[in-house]
Amino acid sequence: MSDFAQYKQIDGSKYRRIFVVGDVHGCLQQLNRALSAQHFQKHQDLLVSVGDLIDRGEHSISCLSLIEQPWFASVRGNHEQMAIDALKGLNVPRWLKNGGDWFYKLDSAKESIARELIALADTLPHIIEIQSNNGLMVIAHADYPLNRYEYGQPVDANEVVWSRQRIADSNAGHVKPITGAESFFFGHTPVENLQQFANQYYIDTGVVFGGRLTLLQIQ
């Protein structure tokens, strides 16, 4: 993993509607139901994920394969990063302890597909910036670890993917807005219902733990 986070820009004017979805964790059926309920149109709309497409749920390969679709974009979550690291021989026990055991149960054909997809996940950005008709939207998995956002400025990739410091501070009453963008969308930390602190939205509502999947229309 690089020391600094990688950014990607998306021009929202190319899409009719844009949705952001919380941590999917292999729960493909719940995602499909949520998209169907919104009458999602793949040729007009865009779905952006806060990461953690894989692990714990039943359909990790199918969920990870979404990153190949033109109507889908995702930042990398810590579960993608654990898979990337494990396939490089780094910290395999950590991935196994956190739901990566599915990979080691695959037959050779599916393992080959999974390896290709995990290699593709290694090209995912850590931060996606969307210029939407509702202002500048920023999506990252766990946090944007500075209090001022600027596209391309150096931020620690590990903190973007793993940190829970900001949401812990916010829950303790120390809420700080992040300047430089209208809204920020994060997953990573399961919450019972969508939580908002200043201009930050936490949308991992624990679908794989018996909660629900949050799908928000941001344009």
Side-chain angles (χ1 to χ4, degrees):
M1 188 173 184
S2 62
D3 291 336
F4 294 119
Q6 299 160 28
Y7 292 74
K8 178 181 179 177
Q9 287 177 313
I10 291 177
D11 178 3
S13 68
K14 295 180 178 179
Y15 303 95
R16 181 185 63 153
R17 297 183 300 166
I18 300 174
F19 296 87
V20 60
V21 66
D23 301 32
V24 175
H25 280 303
C27 297
L28 183 65
Q29 292 169 331
Q30 291 92 325
L31 176 60
N32 285 338
R33 282 199 297 268
L35 292 175
S36 179
Q38 293 292 337
H39 304 289
F40 185 86
Q41 299 293 323
K42 295 178 180 178
H43 61 288
Q44 290 181 300
D45 300 333
L46 178 68
L47 176 62
V48 184
S49 166
V50 297
D52 280 7
L53 293 166
I54 59 171
D55 298 345
R56 299 193 176 116
E58 294 182 7
H59 299 104
S60 283
I61 292 179
S62 295
C63 289
L64 193 57
S65 71
L66 292 171
I67 64 178
E68 298 181 301
Q69 299 301 319
W71 49 269
F72 185 84
S74 183
V75 296
R76 90 174 64 186
N78 64 304
H79 282 259
E80 283 78 42
Q81 191 61 53
M82 284 189 285
I84 292 161
D85 291 345
L87 266 57
K88 293 176 181 177
L90 304 172
N91 218 335
V92 174
R94 181 179 65 175
W95 191 29
L96 282 170
K97 282 191 294 185
N98 286 282
D101 53 311
W102 63 271
F103 176 83
Y104 299 94
K105 298 174 183 175
L106 298 174
D107 62 37
S108 58
K110 287 184 178 177
E111 181 186 325
S112 179
I113 293 169
R115 284 183 178 275
E116 289 180 9
L117 290 169
I118 292 167
L120 192 58
D122 200 12
T123 68
L124 290 175
H126 301 91
I127 299 158
I128 288 176
E129 169 187 299
I130 302 173
Q131 186 63 57
S132 79
N133 56 22
N134 293 316
L136 191 64
M137 307 289 178
V138 177
I139 292 97
H141 181 59
D143 188 22
Y144 191 78
L146 300 178
N147 292 321
R148 178 187 62 83
Y149 173 79
E150 181 183 329
Y151 184 81
Q153 77 174 328
V155 292
D156 187 300
N158 199 55
E159 288 190 36
V160 173
V161 169
W162 286 96
S163 178
R164 290 192 166 102
Q165 188 61 55
R166 184 184 298 277
I167 190 172
D169 289 347
S170 295
N171 277 317
H174 307 295
V175 178
K176 288 184 179 179
I178 306 172
T179 62
E182 193 77 26
S183 303
F184 294 79
F185 299 91
F186 304 121
H188 189 51
T189 301
V191 291
E192 187 173 351
N193 296 298
L194 180 150
Q195 274 195 291
Q196 179 184 0
F197 298 105
N199 60 343
Q200 301 128 46
Y201 298 84
Y202 293 87
I203 63 169
D204 175 13
T205 42
V207 63
V208 79
F209 300 118
R212 59 188 177 83
L213 187 66
T214 290
L215 182 71
L216 291 180
Q217 184 174 345
I218 62 172
Q219 172 173 299

